[in-house]
Amino acid sequence: MLIVPMLDQGGLERVCAATARLLNDAYDVHLVVFNTEGMIYDVSGVEMTDLQLGAVRDRFGKLVNVAKRVHRVRQLKKELHTQLSYSFGPTANLVNVLSKQKDFTWVGVRGYGALSSKASMRLICGLADRVISCTRVMEQQINSQFHPKRSAAVYNPCDIQEIREQAQCGTPPEFDAFFAQPGRIVASMGREHDVKGFWHLIKAVSLVRKKVPDVRLMIIGEGRYEAYRKLAQELGMQDAVLFTGVQSNPFALLRKADVYALTSQSEGFPNALIEAMAVGLPCVSVNCLTGPAEILHEAYETCGDENQTIYADYGILTGVFHGEKDLRADTVTAEEKRFARQLTALFVDDTVYRRYQEAAHVRAEAFGMERYRCAVRDLIQEDVP
């Protein structure tokens, strides 16, 4: 049984849907969704139950909702004689452990923010049979803080072949004028949220343009980005920044770019970094928790200094950004200058650029669907002989 709140746009939802498809040929998979409204992921051929118990706002309603979900999932586990239940995300994890019957329970921790809810993590880790994280660093931290019975780290899967196929498709015509401009493009992906640190990126690219004037920036993701548009305008680069909004095929847009940048304050496992590498983009990423170091460097344990710049095996890691959100065009931090220097290095040094372009192609293969399937099946065989 796979348990997930929804199957709308989102990282854990995508991983759950991929898990269902990848395991369905070898196991009797049953997918349980709290609410299928807005569902976009393809799970055709997988048995599914929609509990029709979507999110509610008030505190009492939430408690009632949890009780109803636990009751229904417990019933389903009995009816289906479920051997193993794997849940994705905090709300599904809670329902999974509270509805335990004779099943072996796995809880998936896919976002670093979940660790900040210590009471919830202690409860879930105390009741679950295994905690599965999406990075080794996260697994180590969970083990040291919450002491689960068993743990594992399984990297999120990416369909590398599909990404590369979709990257060959055309792009929306409304972006033709932007792409027709001469020069090279820095790309980044993510919703409009402070955790993504896009104001740092806009300022860094403005610094790059002082040495490489034709460099432009493309941000792909949901949001209106009004404050960021204003910042770009104040920096004199309003025509050099493209906000595409949500795109059904972001990979075709990525193929138009030359470099990928990640400026997040934190990540669970940055799928977008892998997707950009699959398209062949050299990457510059802050060394935030968690994921970038493990993706970009084999000996990720040596990347503990969050203020160090590292020319890693598969990309460039820079120090993290400090301080509060600052949308003033006339203030630039030392960290933003450092990030800009590494972006500039890729544009002015062809040897470095080609090295990381080739490395990106190679590294992306390590996060393919088949490797994920094998990792999950190995754990199933270990826990459900």
Side-chain angles (χ1 to χ4, degrees):
M1 178 178 289
L2 303 177
I3 307 169
V4 69
M6 300 180 74
L7 285 171
D8 59 347
Q9 183 168 317
L12 67 89
E13 293 86 353
R14 183 189 66 81
V15 174
C16 179
T19 305
R21 294 193 305 271
L22 289 169
L23 297 182
N24 200 40
D25 61 343
Y27 301 97
D28 183 9
V29 176
H30 195 95
L31 185 59
V32 177
V33 185
F34 296 164
N35 182 11
T36 56
E37 183 179 353
M39 180 172 126
I40 65 168
Y41 291 110
D42 178 20
V43 289
S44 54
V46 180
E47 292 292 329
M48 183 170 66
T49 296
D50 178 2
L51 298 184
Q52 298 182 349
L53 291 170
V56 294
R57 293 186 176 182
D58 65 284
R59 185 176 179 81
F60 178 74
K62 288 180 179 179
L63 292 173
V64 171
N65 223 22
V66 169
K68 288 180 178 179
R69 290 169 177 172
V70 170
H71 176 70
R72 286 287 288 117
V73 173
R74 185 183 292 124
Q75 284 183 322
L76 281 170
K77 288 181 178 182
K78 286 182 180 179
E79 293 169 9
L80 299 170
H81 305 288
T82 300
Q83 292 176 284
L84 186 147
S85 304
Y86 183 11
S87 50
F88 296 78
T91 57
N93 289 341
L94 181 63
V95 170
N96 190 14
V97 298
L98 293 179
S99 64
K100 181 176 175 62
Q101 297 296 293
K102 295 180 180 180
D103 53 313
F104 201 94
T105 54
W106 288 0
V107 295
V109 181
R110 316 219 71 82
Y112 199 78
L115 275 63
S116 62
S117 181
K118 298 191 183 303
S120 176
M121 283 295 296
R122 281 194 290 267
L123 173 64
I124 289 169
C125 290
L127 295 176
D129 294 306
R130 187 187 288 272
V131 176
I132 298 181
S133 310
C134 54
T135 70
R136 294 190 183 101
V137 170
M138 190 182 296
E139 180 191 13
Q140 292 162 4
Q141 187 158 345
I142 289 172
N143 284 340
S144 65
Q145 289 188 20
F146 304 108
H147 312 292
K149 299 169 189 173
R150 297 188 190 183
S151 68
V154 180
Y155 292 134
N156 290 349
C158 284
D159 193 333
I160 305 301
Q161 181 177 349
E162 182 180 2
I163 288 169
R164 289 173 177 165
E165 289 174 358
Q166 290 190 26
Q168 301 305 312
C169 297
T171 54
E174 60 263 34
F175 305 139
D176 286 351
F178 181 82
F179 293 133
Q181 298 177 52
R184 288 178 285 184
I185 298 173
V186 177
S188 194
M189 292 200 293
R191 68 194 187 284
E192 184 183 4
H193 193 290
D194 288 356
V195 74
K196 298 299 181 182
F198 286 136
W199 71 92
H200 295 303
L201 180 56
I202 293 170
K203 291 182 180 183
V205 171
S206 74
L207 294 174
V208 175
R209 284 169 57 83
K210 293 180 179 180
K211 293 191 175 181
V212 190
D214 59 3
V215 167
R216 287 165 290 139
L217 172 63
M218 174 172 59
I219 295 177
I220 306 167
E222 181 181 10
R224 299 179 66 182
Y225 292 96
E226 290 182 354
Y228 297 109
R229 293 176 193 272
K230 182 180 178 183
L231 175 60
Q233 183 175 14
E234 291 175 353
L235 288 168
M237 50 187 289
Q238 62 270 21
D239 295 330
V241 182
L242 174 65
F243 300 93
T244 72
V246 161
Q247 296 292 314
S248 59
N249 180 9
F251 313 118
L253 293 170
L254 280 179
R255 188 173 63 88
K256 297 281 191 177
D258 300 277
V259 169
Y260 189 82
L262 188 150
T263 54
S264 298
Q265 296 172 3
S266 68
E267 290 281 350
F269 183 86
N271 294 318
L273 194 59
I274 301 297
E275 292 162 353
M277 296 173 82
V279 177
L281 296 187
C283 296
V284 179
S285 172
V286 292
N287 188 16
C288 66
L289 289 173
T290 57
E294 289 185 48
I295 292 170
L296 297 181
H297 203 51
E298 295 286 0
Y300 67 91
E301 303 94 336
T302 65
C303 302
D305 185 349
E306 63 177 21
N307 296 308
Q308 183 182 7
T309 295
I310 303 169
Y311 275 61
D313 297 320
Y314 306 106
I316 301 174
L317 286 166
T318 76
V320 299
F321 296 111
H322 299 286
E324 299 298 321
K325 183 176 182 180
D326 186 351
L327 292 167
R328 294 174 297 172
D330 59 348
T331 61
V332 179
T333 67
E335 293 91 349
E336 289 162 351
K337 293 177 181 177
R338 177 173 52 195
F339 197 88
R341 284 196 296 272
Q342 302 315 314
L343 288 175
T344 303
L346 285 174
F347 289 125
V348 301
D349 190 329
D350 287 342
T351 301
V352 175
Y353 185 89
R354 287 196 299 271
R355 169 191 169 188
Y356 283 123
Q357 186 179 44
E358 293 169 4
H361 271 290
V362 171
R363 185 55 168 167
E365 299 292 343
F367 304 95
M369 303 295 267
E370 187 56 33
R371 291 205 181 191
Y372 176 81
R373 187 211 310 257
C374 291
V376 175
R377 290 183 66 168
D378 287 347
L379 286 176
I380 292 173
Q381 292 171 11
E382 183 179 331
D383 290 347
V384 188

